[in-house]
Amino acid sequence: MEQNACIEVRGVSKTFRDGGRSVHALDDISFSACSGEFVTFIGPSGSGKSTLFNLITGLSEPDTGDILIGGQAVGRRTGLVGYMPQRDLLLPWRSVLNNVILGPELDGQSRRAARQQARELLPLFGLEGFEHAYPDTLSGGMRQRAALLRTFLTGREVLLLDEPFGALDALTRRELQRWLLDVWQRFRKTILFITHDVEEAVFLADRVLVFSARPGRIVTTLEVDLPRPRRSLSLMSDDLRRLEADLLSALEAGNGA
Amino acid sequence: MMRTGHTANAATPAPHAAGLVLLVQDLTRAVILSGAAGLVLLLFALGTAQLVNEARAVDNLSFEDIFPSPGEVYDAWELHQDRLLADHIPETLWETLAGLAMAVVLGVLIAGLMDFSPLLRWVLYPVLVVSQTIPIFAIAILLILIFGFGSGPKITVVVLFCFFPVALSTFSGLQSTDPELLSLLRAMGGNSFQLWTKARLPAAMPSFFAGLRIAATYSVVGAIFGEYITAQVGLGVFLKRSYSSFRLDQAYLAIILTAVLSLLLVLLVGLIERLALRWYYTSRRRSWRGPGIY
């Protein structure tokens, strides 16, 4: 169990072709995260963060370097981590309940048992009473929560969240950030979280990895030593602002500014 | 005429000479365009004259014969309803429904094969298109030689009419599945079969039903067409006999019955679609407007 919760990325580089042009997306990326850590990734657009997630999910392979999950090399094996893309990508023809059990279903588990487990979690994810609703009838915040529940119900120990709150309004985003921390502390998953928002990166993370512009390198690792649970921003606003300032200057340095 | 683009070139003659060339070009274009428009008008006038002359020349039928009153059409229904309800309509309906069902299975199968393999797509697509360019009449005669005079050739004609819209629209539906959604399912560990059953097939359903609605509209006409060539029972043969005995009241009756059957079939498909794609209509409840008669 403890083993499975670990992800190790060693010296990963990736170049891909985009319309005849070769794009050097990632250069010598190394980091690891274990047992219920929350790591956020921040960097300019096109710094290869989503490419890195594609490598971790096994959708594509690194040119050099290794990715280990629970001590096993990923290679081209998919389904080792839970993954939530920028768009919620809920299946429009399925009810909320049938959407969130997609992971167990793809694993070949009993749908009935998965539904039972999902029903128990619906209140925590604010979806109680909406289990039979179609995704298109839900608000943006509810759709993201449903997509998150789908990701949690995959039962994987490492979860990749690619800008899950990017498209939400500021108020909803703030609310979902706090809620995500609650959920995460309850389940103790290892979360890798991409964001473009400096405050979000610091508020959520144990550690922030700052990416440079293309080719993506990790320029700085920022340890966030703010106490948890982090319910109220105001209680720690001074520390938060200091870390945000550090992060911004690291970002600017990485951008070559 | 602001055509001064080429006159700035040093190699062209003096400006007034270039102006003359442009004038000739413009005049030529005007003559050709008005000539083409005139030709279309002339052909339209000649064609109309031909129709009017021929209609006047054939005087063995009165206006009343050609356009019977609704009462006369109803009388024809009274006279023939037993035979129509017992034999003709059931036969046409059987051919239509059997043909449509076979067209759906065949169409979805072809769409699936084309979606599954680029090689099959490359092979099948031209065959599909060519199959639609062959005159159905020629094939229908051939089918009678193969199957005889029973329902077989008619069912096959319905299939030929109907499988194409089903195959084409289902194929485009399968192809239009959101690639990011497919990536997500793969990232979650889904295999190709699961991608098919859980994403591609459901995503193709709205397109499939769009094709099925077109097919349903064609299907009754297909059956009538098959029967018209040769048959013992069916609305098509009823129509043919009506024409050969100059009973236009009966012919109108057959036409109306064909239209009613088609309409009922399209309504039925619409109903099935509403039930099957509840998600599709639920999510578009606010913006979606039903297209009237469907």
Side-chain angles (χ1 to χ4, degrees):
Chain A
M1 203 60 180
E2 199 68 356
Q3 261 289 305
N4 285 339
C6 280
I7 171 164
E8 212 178 332
V9 173
R10 287 195 223 140
V12 162
S13 297
K14 179 73 178 173
T15 301
F16 59 83
R17 307 201 69 78
D18 180 27
R21 206 163 53 95
S22 88
V23 177
H24 192 182
L26 292 172
D27 187 41
D28 196 22
I29 301 288
S30 295
F31 69 91
S32 68
C34 258
S35 48
E37 272 189 291
F38 201 128
V39 182
T40 55
F41 296 70
I42 194 166
S45 297
S47 57
K49 303 182 296 294
S50 293
T51 306
L52 179 63
F53 272 20
N54 273 337
L55 300 177
I56 298 174
T57 55
L59 286 176
S60 56
E61 270 187 292
D63 299 333
T64 58
D66 295 301
I67 296 170
L68 304 170
I69 289 162
Q72 289 181 302
V74 174
R76 291 225 62 142
R77 269 191 309 158
T78 56
L80 295 177
V81 294
Y83 171 54
M84 175 175 168
Q86 287 170 16
R87 290 168 53 208
D88 58 69
L89 293 176
L90 295 168
L91 303 173
W93 50 84
R94 288 189 174 205
S95 66
V96 167
L97 189 62
N98 285 332
N99 256 294
V100 299
I101 61 160
L102 188 61
E105 197 183 320
L106 290 173
D107 291 344
Q109 295 173 24
S110 132
R111 289 219 257 181
R112 178 178 300 195
R115 283 203 191 98
Q116 191 49 46
Q117 195 193 353
R119 277 208 189 86
E120 285 160 16
L121 287 174
L122 283 172
L124 178 62
F125 282 74
L127 295 165
E128 207 176 15
F130 289 90
E131 56 262 50
H132 299 301
Y134 287 113
D136 283 8
T137 62
L138 301 182
S139 69
M142 290 183 85
R143 291 173 63 103
Q144 292 310 108
R145 284 199 299 258
L148 270 164
L149 178 53
R150 179 182 63 193
T151 314
F152 273 90
L153 282 175
T154 57
R156 306 297 188 264
E157 291 304 318
V158 178
L159 306 182
L160 313 183
L161 311 182
D162 189 348
E163 273 196 80
F165 306 144
L168 299 175
D169 64 89
L171 219 65
T172 312
R173 185 190 310 185
R174 170 69 66 226
E175 187 192 313
L176 283 192
Q177 285 166 358
R178 272 175 231 187
W179 166 82
L180 176 63
L181 286 182
D182 278 351
V183 173
W184 166 69
Q185 280 187 323
R186 187 173 302 210
F187 291 94
R188 302 307 299 180
K189 305 276 185 183
T190 305
I191 293 187
L192 309 185
F193 187 109
I194 292 177
T195 179
H196 278 113
D197 183 322
V198 171
E199 196 183 74
E200 182 171 79
V202 173
F203 178 66
L204 293 175
D206 295 316
R207 218 158 6 120
V208 185
L209 303 186
V210 182
F211 276 60
S212 70
R214 191 173 283 162
R217 285 192 197 90
I218 298 176
V219 276
T220 316
T221 303
L222 192 75
E223 298 288 339
V224 181
D225 45 11
L226 300 175
R228 292 190 189 270
R230 296 174 190 162
R231 291 233 166 69
S232 165
L233 280 171
S234 53
L235 281 178
M236 51 186 193
S237 62
D238 286 347
D239 290 331
L240 193 65
R241 298 302 154 218
R242 175 178 52 76
L243 286 162
E244 279 175 34
D246 291 351
L247 188 51
L248 265 176
S249 52
L251 266 171
E252 280 167 4
N255 232 344
Chain B
M1 300 287 129
M2 299 282 285
R3 311 257 319 248
T4 53
H6 294 288
T7 53
N9 193 321
T12 50
H16 62 272
L20 196 66
V21 170
L22 289 177
L23 184 66
V24 170
Q25 278 179 355
D26 283 337
L27 277 175
T28 316
R29 200 172 56 155
V31 166
I32 291 174
L33 285 181
S34 52
L39 195 65
V40 170
L41 277 178
L42 184 68
L43 285 171
F44 173 79
L46 285 175
T48 311
Q50 173 106 22
L51 292 184
V52 170
N53 269 326
E54 286 183 9
R56 282 212 308 220
V58 178
D59 57 5
N60 49 6
L61 283 178
S62 67
F63 182 84
E64 285 74 25
D65 289 327
I66 296 170
F67 301 106
S69 71
E72 284 172 292
V73 176
Y74 183 75
D75 290 342
W77 164 250
E78 292 268 79
L79 186 63
H80 294 285
Q81 62 171 329
D82 291 346
R83 189 80 212 287
L84 282 167
L85 286 173
D87 299 327
H88 295 309
I89 293 176
E91 173 64 17
T92 303
L93 208 54
W94 153 242
E95 291 160 4
T96 304
L97 294 178
L100 193 58
M102 287 172 70
V104 165
V105 173
L106 190 69
V108 171
L109 201 68
I110 290 172
L113 287 174
M114 288 191 358
D115 182 59
F116 173 71
S117 139
L119 179 70
L120 282 173
R121 185 179 321 156
W122 190 77
V123 173
L124 283 174
Y125 195 77
V127 176
L128 277 190
V129 174
V130 167
S131 80
Q132 295 304 294
T133 63
I134 299 170
I136 300 253
F137 183 76
I139 296 182
I141 304 278
L142 197 66
L143 290 171
I144 289 162
L145 295 176
I146 298 171
F147 294 108
F149 298 100
S151 309
K154 291 86 177 176
I155 292 173
T156 318
V157 168
V158 175
V159 173
L160 287 174
F161 264 100
C162 296
F163 86 95
F164 188 68
V166 174
L168 214 61
S169 53
T170 308
F171 173 66
S172 77
L174 288 170
Q175 292 274 299
S176 69
T177 316
D178 189 340
E180 286 186 48
L181 180 60
L182 296 173
S183 289
L184 172 69
L185 262 70
R186 278 202 297 136
M188 291 174 79
N191 59 35
S192 310
F193 179 73
Q194 288 173 323
L195 258 59
W196 238 83
T197 54
K198 299 193 191 304
R200 308 189 78 115
L201 226 46
M205 277 300 119
S207 300
F208 162 77
F209 273 105
L212 181 59
R213 246 191 286 184
I214 297 172
T217 323
Y218 285 171
S219 59
V220 182
V221 177
I224 303 279
F225 181 85
E227 290 165 354
Y228 200 91
I229 293 167
T230 176
Q232 271 114 36
V233 275
L235 277 176
V237 77
F238 181 77
L239 180 70
K240 190 179 179 181
R241 283 181 197 148
S242 307
Y243 275 134
S244 16
S245 52
F246 294 103
R247 291 299 304 269
L248 280 121
D249 50 345
Q250 290 181 25
Y252 278 97
L253 178 63
I255 292 168
I256 289 167
L257 288 174
T258 308
V260 169
L261 280 189
S262 300
L263 200 60
L264 287 177
L265 197 57
V266 172
L267 280 172
L268 182 69
V269 169
L271 190 70
I272 294 171
E273 178 178 353
R274 283 300 190 100
L275 291 175
L277 300 185
R278 211 160 54 83
W279 63 272
Y280 190 70
Y281 291 101
T282 307
S283 56
R284 281 156 187 77
R285 193 160 39 200
R286 286 196 193 86
S287 58
W288 192 76
R289 295 276 181 278
I293 59 163
Y294 293 150

